[in-house]
Structures are given as C-alpha cells and as structure tokens.
Amino acid sequence: MANSDQPGGIINDVASVTSIVKAAMSGTRDPRLKEILDALVEHGHAFLQQVRLTDAEFEQGLAFVRAVGQACNERHNEVVLLADVLGFSTLVALLNNADESGRTPGALLGPFYRGGSPEYENGRCIACEGSPGAALFVHARVLDTSGRPVQDATVDVWQASPVGLYENQDASQPEHNLRGRFRTGADGMFTFRSVRPAGYPVPTDGPVGAMLAAQQRHPYRPAHLHFAIFAEGHATLVSQVFADDSEHLDSDVVFGVNRRLVGTFEHHEAGTGPHGDHREAYYTLDFDFILAEGTPTYPTPPIQ
Amino acid sequence: MANSDQPGGIINDVASVTSIVKAAMSGTRDPRLKEILDALVEHGHAFLQQVRLTDAEFEQGLAFVRAVGQACNERHNEVVLLADVLGFSTLVALLNNADESGRTPGALLGPFYRGGSPEYENGRCIACEGSPGAALFVHARVLDTSGRPVQDATVDVWQASPVGLYENQDASQPEHNLRGRFRTGADGMFTFRSVRPAGYPVPTDGPVGAMLAAQQRHPYRPAHLHFAIFAEGHATLVSQVFADDSEHLDSDVVFGVNRRLVGTFEHHEAGTGPHGDHREAYYTLDFDFILAEGTPTYPTPPIQ
C-alpha cells in the first residue's frame, strides 16, 4: 500500500480511531496547540463513544453549531453565550483565578462595559435626575491582601437600570447613566449613590435560547453591579457584586455568581438617609474588594 | 438568600461547577437530549480542566468556533468539515455500523452525490467519449451475509475525474459524467467501465484549512469510487471503495478509509482488455459488497 510522509494509519475499528487521529495531528508545530487539540480529540471522542449519537442526532448537533456561529454579528456573540450557559466560561475564569491569596474573585467583564465614563467625586449619584427605583448607597473599600487600604485606586462602576437595561441598550437613559469612575481615598474608600439594578435575561432569540427553553431554564441573570479596579502595584480586578436578595441568585443562567461576590443589600425604611436627606425606603451596600499584588492589566476592550 | 423554582446553586469553587450546571439542566424535558447535554458538559468541563486554557486561549477557541460557523454557506459546510478532520464523523459512523454480520462497512455519502443519474446496461462506460485517464474495468458483486447473490439491486455509482473533480464541480465535464445507475443480474453482478479517479483536497480556504496547516497536515483524500446500493429486503449500503495504490491511502484527511473498503486496483499492461478491444495499459477492480438484511433506507439527500 502507498504511504505518505504524514503519520496516520487505516482505521479498522472504533478502538483505533482516536490514536490514528492523534497520529495525524502529531506534526503540529506549536506544542501548546498540539496539547489543546489532542485533549479536544480525546474528550470529544470519549463524549461520542459515551452517548453513541445516531446519524440524525449527529447531524442535528452539527447544525446547532452552525446556527450558533451564524447567529453572531457585530453586536452579539452567540458562541460566547453558549459557552456561558454551559458553565464553560465560569470554569475557565475560576481555573485562572484560583489562588489562596484571599483576593476578591474576578467575574466576567460582560458585553456592556464602556470606556470613558465620567469621573466623579466620592458620594456622587451616578443615576440621572429623577431616575425611578429604590435608592442605593454604596460604601466600598479597596484593600490589599494584608488588609491595608489601597489609596488612589481608579474604580469603574457600571450597572443596569431598575428595569434591567444598561444605558447603551436603552434610548430612554442619558449617555453614561449608571456609570462612573471614582478614586479611593487614604482609607481605600470609594462611595456613590445610585438606584438598585434589576436582573435581566440574556438574548433568547437564537439557538441558545431554544436550548434553554428545551432545558426549561429561565434566561435571567440576578441583579448585580460591575466594578473594574485599577491600582499601581496590584493586579487589575474585574468583578461583579450580586444582590443577596435578588431573584435568580442561585440560578444565574451564565453561572456568574460566586458566594464571595454576594453583597448584603441592606433595606432601610423611609427616613433620614446616610447623606442626611429625607427619602423613601432605601438600600445600603458595604463591600470590601481585596486586590492581589501584581502589575495592572486592562480588560478587553481596552479602556478608551 | 432568594431561591427560584429552578435547581441550581451558587458556585464556590472549580469542583462545584459541573454539578451545578447539571442541576440547572435537570429539567430538560426530552430524556435523550438531557443525556447528551449532560455528557457534553461533563466531557467539555473535563477538557477545560485538563488543558487549563488561559483567558486569551479561550477567546481564541470561541472565535474559531464562530469563524467555522460563519464559513458555512449554501454550498459548503465548514462545521461538517471540522467534524470530519477531527475524526468525529468517522467515529459516529463506525459506532453506528459496528456489527458482526460481515456486511460491508458504510462510508460517508459526501457532498457530491446527486440523484437522477442515468440508468445503464451492465458493461457500459460512465466516462464520456475521449475522457483522459487510464481505463478502469469494475466487476462487482452484491451478496447477502450468507454469500448468496442479491439480484435486482439498484447501484448508484459516482466518482471524481482523473484530476480529482466531480462533474458538478467542473464545467469541462458533461452533465452526469462519471455517474451511473446499474442493476445486478441473477449472479449479483454489476459491471461498468470508467477511468481511474484521482484523490482531491478538501476546501482549505476557511478556518479548518488554517488548522490543518498549523498541524502540518495535507488536505487530501485518497482516490475512491462511491457506491449506494438499494435492494429489497436489505439495508441500504452507502459506501466508498479506495484504490489500494492511491497516494494518501493511510492519511485520508477525513479518516474515511476502512481496511475493508480498500479495493485492489490491478494494473494490466497495454494489450487486449477484458471487453476484447485493444487499448493502453488499464486497471481492473473486482469487489464484493455484502448487504445486511433489513429495510431499504435512503441516504440524505433523498434520491430524486
């Protein structure tokens, strides 16, 4: 029989398939790519051997992958959404953030981050005049892993509105509503006023939405605030803080909730608020962020 | 903390991710879909835990899947090509065809099948007048698993030209060139004359081609003939017969070569050929196809 220069072999039975495919890929130049693709083939073949897809099921699976790829456009990435709702994204994030330093865990940057938010003095309200929703007063500290305050950290904050929409999704909100950039003082504190965010659904009009429906899963994320914290001498922290009383807290569709990222949203009856003015019932959130030592890095997309 | 009706939980560490994702999917209505998606999550998470992708590698992987989906169009399916070059398609086919009956293994229908090929008497030439390439005389038998001839089987034959192009890829070939439909006689035989096909590359202008290049793999399939055999009382057989002296026989880019599908292309010096006429050097192929008992089924796309 004719041979070629490329390693391989003729497949005789199910047992020989994986080793022959790996032999064919053995010339991969980049050793890391080879490691990843070898593992992909091993685990992919193990999956197929376990579930023994019929020809029709296999075709349906391939058609699903095609539809997920084709549902991507400039403003939406259905492949990322699929990875999120299967827990792949959270698993990768946890594997890359597992350490014993005590630092606050990271969370996804998410698609609604914008650079260039307005810089505010501590205590400022990031909700536009007359925003509906219960008031929220946030008092947060940025500390190092020894518990010392981190001064002059830059903190980007962004959140959805009380109806679950970010300002860049919602024509009724002013530019940069519910976003702001703060700086920590000598005590590591940054403070602001806002309105309580609401949870919101991921897009359900694509193939991933159909999968969620077949799984009888709701498409909601629980209410949360986003933070990105940059400080000299410390690794940049991109994270989220979830409301402890939010619906769907224990069933986040993208599995983004980590117990260490759940903040206590304390409810206060109507009365004199922490800033001295009389108001309706309101909430306070006190939260400590702990940064690891390191070199500041920037999330993608880069700060503009 | 707030609960929802949906099973789930808050993720605390890498070890809890897989079980929490499976709990979230536990309401899946279709038990087979649940089995498949549970296994997908288990094997997918095991892959991610083994290779520990960096955030950048994970983004690259998701971008690759997106590009594969977006490279699909009406005439090309890059997702199927990816499944083929990773051995997934062959593995599924083998798992669905593994039996001890002795029947001939199936092989992929492939994208070049057309219904409605001309019906020919046995012995006819399926290559148009003046086709270049060495003559090939095929003498094949269709038998049942007891070795008895199967009479009146309908056999669709199709193949690439000596330069590796099917007629529906190549404007220089007449309609239905190198295709034909034959019927077996009382001895189970069907015979035809043709020209030797050549191997050919899979499309390499998409992301899968870039992956093959990174793996230093050639994109070729070895030379082969396609057959689809339909007979009353027997399971339809869709298969391919590979030339034993073909380049790339042991390194088919889509892993379609099964040892039982390798046919002996016997070379004959110039002289009187099997049909009595004098000619250049030529080849003969004798091959037995063995059908399992069963109900005839039709490949996709259906016979037109």
Side-chain angles (χ1 to χ4, degrees), chain A residues 7 71 77 115 157 177 180 219 234 251 264 289-290 298:
Chain A
N77 194 324
V157 177
N177 190 39
H234 296 86
S251 63
T264 304
F289 294 96
I290 300 171
Y298 295 96

Side-chain angles (χ1 to χ4, degrees), chain A residues 204-219:
Chain A
T204 54
D205 55 349
V208 172
M211 186 185 81
L212 292 175
Q215 293 178 323
Q216 300 202 80
R217 291 167 64 183
H218 70 73

Side-chain angles (χ1 to χ4, degrees), chain B residues 39 41 47 79 94 109 129 141 146 148 186-187 191 233 244 251 257 272 283 292:
Chain B
V41 164
F47 162 72
V79 175
L94 284 172
L109 181 73
E129 190 74 23
R141 281 196 304 176
S146 305
R148 288 184 297 252
D187 53 1
T191 63
D244 61 336
S251 62
V257 181
T272 305
Y283 291 86

Side-chain angles (χ1 to χ4, degrees), chain B residues 208-264:
Chain B
V208 173
M211 187 185 81
L212 292 175
Q215 294 178 324
Q216 300 201 80
R217 290 167 64 183
H218 70 72
Y220 284 91
R221 303 212 62 206
H224 58 277
L225 303 166
H226 292 265
F227 297 90
I229 306 180
F230 312 88
E232 284 302 315
H234 296 86
T236 298
L237 175 66
V238 175
S239 197
Q240 302 175 16
V241 174
F242 297 88
D244 61 336
D245 59 353
S246 175
E247 205 177 358
H248 310 308
L249 186 70
D250 58 358
S251 62
D252 180 2
V253 68
V254 300
F255 305 102
V257 181
N258 181 304
R259 195 172 297 279
R260 289 178 56 199
L261 297 178
V262 177
T264 304

Side-chain angles (χ1 to χ4, degrees), chain A residues 219-233:
Chain A
Y220 283 91
R221 302 213 62 207
H224 58 277
L225 303 167
H226 291 266
F227 297 91
I229 306 179
F230 312 87
E232 284 302 313

Side-chain angles (χ1 to χ4, degrees), chain A residues 60-92:
Chain A
Q60 284 170 27
L62 298 179
F64 179 78
V65 174
R66 175 179 173 148
V68 169
Q70 302 235 317
C72 296
N73 57 45
E74 285 164 22
R75 286 171 298 105
H76 174 67
N77 194 324
E78 189 88 354
V79 175
V80 170
L81 181 61
L82 178 61
D84 290 349
V85 305
L86 294 177
F88 287 15
S89 308
T90 287
L91 182 56
V92 169

Side-chain angles (χ1 to χ4, degrees), chain B residues 181-202:
Chain B
R181 174 170 279 197
F182 297 89
R183 187 168 288 271
T184 58
D187 53 1
M189 292 284 296
F190 68 95
T191 63
F192 61 95
R193 189 178 133 189
S194 185
V195 288
R196 268 197 71 131
Y200 51 83
V202 297

